[in-house]
């Protein structure tokens, strides 16, 4: 639960929390909190693995493989296979070798389980004070699964439906969590530290990390602020859901990225994506039209339009990083839109592509 080498404190639990109090007391100041009674009327609370197999067992899902090796624990790589939900759950029930190296993660409800969407209402805390970015997603894990420590570029609600999960949060702290080098694959940024067995000789600053922890119980909803490190262990074979979201409005979420506690992680995340694209043939075009690329990237990522000043600041960040004094003349293509700044997935599914 707590990590002995770190300063560790439990995440607070609250109930009967109003939308405004959540927004003012936790969301705005970026303070993690567990809301114990936010899902009491959700039909999804009645889910079990068995009754889900009856309802959606024939649905096809993407299942991660090689999830029980060290490369996965430090967020470097995994394989993936296409399977039916029923077959995946059969492995879980047996607890066989394939189950111990597999994980059904980030399964889009819209794409993988459209029959179940009505079972998962939008949390009340999102209705007036938030805006959904992505999700909901389903996660189904075998007891003992370790999910690598990482941070996401969105605010996040994690909801436990069946079973329990141990969750550790480390705030926004690059120096203590040792992110994988810039250019590492993935939409998230992963830590090199195995939080269950930290190597303090290799990663001595991890001892300075501040850990907030909990055991998330069925029905509880955990707020994880955007860009906060988090690491999750499955204490039981179970089911969870999550939703990625942000502030309402046309520019509010982007605006807060330029202030503490988000800015350092936000800049690292953006430069990581720039580095992912550096070796591809589209990169010179990206650099030549970088202000347009940045604007379109954030519009697609968060459904928000950055201001000219915000675009300029991110462009300057990239220019400083790549030691570019002046942007080259725009390289125009056939279409009217600028080249796409792609997030190169952790699966390396695009590693043979050069565009």
């Amino acid at each position: 639960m707590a990590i002995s080498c770190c300063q560790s404190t439990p995440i607070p639990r609250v109930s009967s929390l109003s939308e405004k109090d959540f927004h003012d007391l936790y969301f705005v100041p970026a303070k993690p909190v567990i809301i114990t009674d936010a899902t009491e009327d959700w039909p999804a609370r009645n889910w079990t693995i068995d009754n889900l197999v009856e309802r959606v067992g024939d649905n096809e899902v993407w299942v991660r493989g090689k999830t029980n090796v060290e490369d996965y624990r430090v967020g470097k790589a995994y394989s993936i296979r296409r399977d039916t939900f029923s077959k995946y759950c059969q492995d879980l029930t047996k607890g066989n070798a394939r189950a111990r190296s597999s994980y059904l993660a980030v399964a889009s409800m819209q794409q993988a389980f459209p029959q179940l969407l009505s079972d998962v209402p939008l949390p009340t805390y999102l209705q007036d004070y938030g805006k959904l970015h992505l999700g909901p997603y389903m996660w189904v894990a075998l007891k003992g699964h370790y999910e690598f420590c990482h941070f996401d570029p969105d605010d996040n609600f994690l909801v436990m439906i069946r079973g329990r999960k141990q969750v550790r949060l480390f705030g926004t702290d690059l120096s203590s969590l040792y992110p994988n080098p810039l250019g590492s694959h993935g939409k998230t940024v992963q830590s090199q530290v195995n939080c269950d067995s930290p190597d303090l000789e290799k990663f001595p600053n991890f001892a300075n990390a501040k850990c907030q922890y909990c055991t998330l119980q069925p029905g509880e909803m955990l707020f994880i602020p955007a860009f906060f490190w988090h690491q999750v262990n499955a204490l039981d074979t179970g089911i969870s859901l999550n939703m990625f979201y942000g502030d309402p409005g046309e520019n509010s979420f982007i605006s807060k990225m330029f202030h503490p506690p988000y800015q350092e992680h936000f800049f690292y995340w953006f430069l990581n994506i720039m580095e992912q694209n550096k070796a591809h043939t589209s990169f010179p075009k990206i650099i030549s039209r970088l202000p347009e690329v940045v604007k379109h990237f954030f519009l697609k990522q968060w459904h928000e339009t950055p201001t000219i000043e915000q675009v300029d600041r991110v462009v300057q960040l990239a220019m400083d990083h790549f030691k570019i004094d002046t942007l080259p003349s725009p390289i125009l293509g056939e279409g009217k839109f600028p080249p796409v700044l792609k997030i190169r997935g952790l699966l390396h599914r695009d590693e043979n592509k050069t565009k």
Side-chain angles (χ1 to χ4, degrees):
M1 178 60 68
I3 299 178
S4 59
C5 67
C6 300
Q7 178 183 331
S8 299
T9 56
I11 299 170
R13 281 180 160 83
V14 298
S15 60
S16 303
L17 186 66
S18 71
E19 295 172 58
K20 187 176 187 308
D21 282 348
F22 168 72
H23 181 263
D24 294 347
L25 300 177
Y26 299 101
F27 184 78
V28 172
K31 292 184 178 180
V33 66
I34 299 164
I35 307 171
T36 62
D37 56 355
T39 66
E40 291 183 345
D41 60 347
W42 287 23
R45 289 288 305 279
N46 297 315
W47 288 354
T48 66
I49 289 178
D50 287 343
N51 66 37
L52 287 184
V53 168
E54 290 179 6
R55 295 176 64 186
V56 295
D58 292 334
N59 291 33
E60 288 194 333
V61 293
W62 290 106
V63 179
R64 294 179 183 177
K66 300 180 180 178
T67 60
N68 59 342
V69 299
E70 190 64 15
D71 268 3
Y72 186 83
R73 287 174 170 255
V74 295
K76 288 185 177 178
Y78 56 84
S79 62
I80 196 165
R81 70 178 188 273
R82 193 78 165 160
D83 212 338
T84 65
F85 183 69
S86 177
K87 289 180 180 178
Y88 173 73
C89 292
Q90 287 174 14
D91 287 336
L92 287 191
T93 301
K94 295 174 182 176
N96 57 27
R98 189 160 77 154
R100 292 192 295 274
S101 64
S102 299
Y103 187 32
L104 176 57
V106 210
S108 167
M109 298 288 293
Q110 288 94 339
Q111 297 175 15
F113 304 111
Q115 309 96 310
L116 304 177
L117 267 174
S118 61
D119 291 358
V120 185
L122 190 71
T124 57
Y125 304 104
L126 281 179
Q127 292 176 9
D128 295 319
Y129 291 97
K131 180 173 64 179
L132 188 68
H133 289 172
L134 294 164
Y137 295 103
M138 186 192 295
W139 310 66
V140 183
L142 181 71
K143 178 180 179 179
H145 173 78
Y146 176 103
E147 184 64 5
F148 51 80
C149 187
H150 65 282
F151 62 76
D152 298 290
D154 308 270
D155 294 299
N156 186 3
F157 276 134
L158 173 60
V159 179
M160 205 67 224
I161 298 298
R162 188 68 54 181
R164 302 166 300 151
K165 282 187 171 179
Q166 172 186 275
V167 185
R168 297 158 170 159
L169 309 181
F170 299 94
T172 51
D173 181 355
L174 280 182
S175 63
S176 298
L177 271 293
Y178 297 89
N180 281 324
L182 289 175
S184 299
H185 285 70
K187 180 177 180 179
T188 68
V189 171
Q190 309 87 28
S191 170
Q192 300 178 62
V193 180
N194 180 336
C195 299
D196 274 359
S197 182
D199 184 344
L200 294 183
E201 289 189 6
K202 190 174 181 180
F203 307 114
N205 288 347
F206 185 68
N208 300 324
K210 295 181 179 180
C211 174
Q212 293 177 276
Y213 64 89
C214 72
T215 296
L216 198 63
Q217 303 286 345
E220 293 185 332
M221 183 166 72
L222 169 63
F223 167 57
I224 303 174
F227 291 97
F228 267 45
W229 291 110
H230 53 284
Q231 188 277 315
V232 181
N233 287 25
L235 301 180
D236 305 300
T237 297
I239 307 164
S240 57
L241 297 165
N242 90 296
M243 301 173 190
F244 294 116
Y245 72 102
D247 304 66
E250 300 298 321
N251 184 258
S252 300
F253 186 81
I254 291 177
S255 290
K256 78 179 184 182
M257 293 301 104
F258 291 89
H259 301 281
Y262 311 100
Q263 181 176 276
E264 185 181 25
H265 276 203
F266 165 56
F267 284 176
Y268 193 93
W269 172 78
F270 181 77
L271 290 177
N272 189 60
I273 295 168
M274 289 291 295
E275 283 283 355
Q276 290 174 3
N277 287 267
K278 185 178 178 180
H280 294 259
T281 57
S282 61
F283 193 66
K285 295 180 182 178
I286 288 172
I287 290 296
S288 77
R289 300 179 67 180
L290 193 54
E292 297 171 85
V293 168
V294 167
K295 180 179 178 179
H296 280 80
F297 177 79
F298 290 129
L299 184 62
K300 181 179 179 182
Q301 182 67 37
W302 293 320
H303 319 300
E304 291 197 351
T305 302
T307 65
I308 294 174
E309 292 77 13
Q310 289 165 347
V311 170
D312 288 345
R313 192 166 180 191
V314 173
V315 167
Q316 191 62 54
L317 173 74
M319 291 175 63
D320 291 345
H321 175 73
F322 291 109
K323 297 180 171 55
I324 299 171
D325 294 327
T326 306
L327 293 179
S329 298
I331 302 173
L332 301 178
E334 296 178 358
K336 63 179 180 178
F337 295 108
V340 176
L341 181 62
K342 294 183 179 179
I343 297 176
R344 310 283 174 173
L346 189 60
L347 292 175
H348 299 210
R349 282 176 287 187
D350 57 5
E351 70 177 346
N352 293 320
K353 297 181 180 179
T354 58
K355 295 182 178 180

